[in-house]
Amino acid sequence: MVPNKVNIAGIEYMVNQVEGLAEEQEVQGQVFYHKGLIKIDANMTEDKKEQTFVHEMFHAIMEEAGFQEQEEETVSRLSNVLYQVLKDNSFAFGKEPGECL
């Protein structure tokens, strides 16, 4: 499930699922650092939306950590593995089992 917002290094990023992003912009997701905004194309499977969210979140993590230059191939490879680890292990640090994130 893609959240409506995510906190990254103390910055709250709103997450919007929008129609037509892939068709109009030819991307599945976008991150706008100065607006604290992540956009995900709404016309994808739930798994693909989640994977795209983790990809865009990873870009924001890199930005907030001070990495101004980000190679797309590196971000894609690392975010795909991070997505798999998060999904397959259902991490929820600081939360009780079954408690919402």
Side-chain angles (χ1 to χ4, degrees):
M1 181 175 118
V2 175
N4 294 327
K5 61 184 174 180
V6 63
N7 189 303
I8 301 170
I11 305 299
E12 185 173 90
Y13 281 77
M14 298 305 297
V15 181
N16 294 339
Q17 294 188 38
V18 298
E19 299 287 332
L21 190 61
E23 292 83 17
E24 295 168 15
Q25 303 292 322
E26 298 184 3
V27 295
Q28 296 170 339
Q30 295 176 310
V31 60
F32 300 90
Y33 309 117
H34 63 287
K35 293 182 178 180
L37 176 63
I38 294 173
K39 289 184 178 181
I40 304 296
D41 191 292
N43 297 319
M44 296 187 288
T45 66
E46 201 59 37
D47 284 341
K48 195 63 180 170
K49 286 188 222 179
E50 292 170 352
Q51 184 184 52
T52 302
F53 165 70
V54 171
H55 176 94
E56 299 305 332
M57 179 181 68
F58 197 84
H59 273 298
I61 289 168
M62 297 288 287
E63 171 73 16
E64 299 302 337
F67 291 95
Q68 302 303 314
E69 295 184 27
Q70 303 173 29
E71 291 187 25
E72 192 64 25
E73 181 179 352
T74 301
V75 171
S76 290
R77 288 179 181 208
L78 292 173
S79 66
N80 285 346
V81 173
L82 177 60
Y83 170 67
Q84 176 271 311
V85 170
L86 293 171
K87 183 171 181 136
D88 289 352
N89 292 284
S90 302
F91 288 121
F93 297 114
K95 305 290 182 191
E96 293 295 321
E99 186 178 357
C100 293
L101 296 178

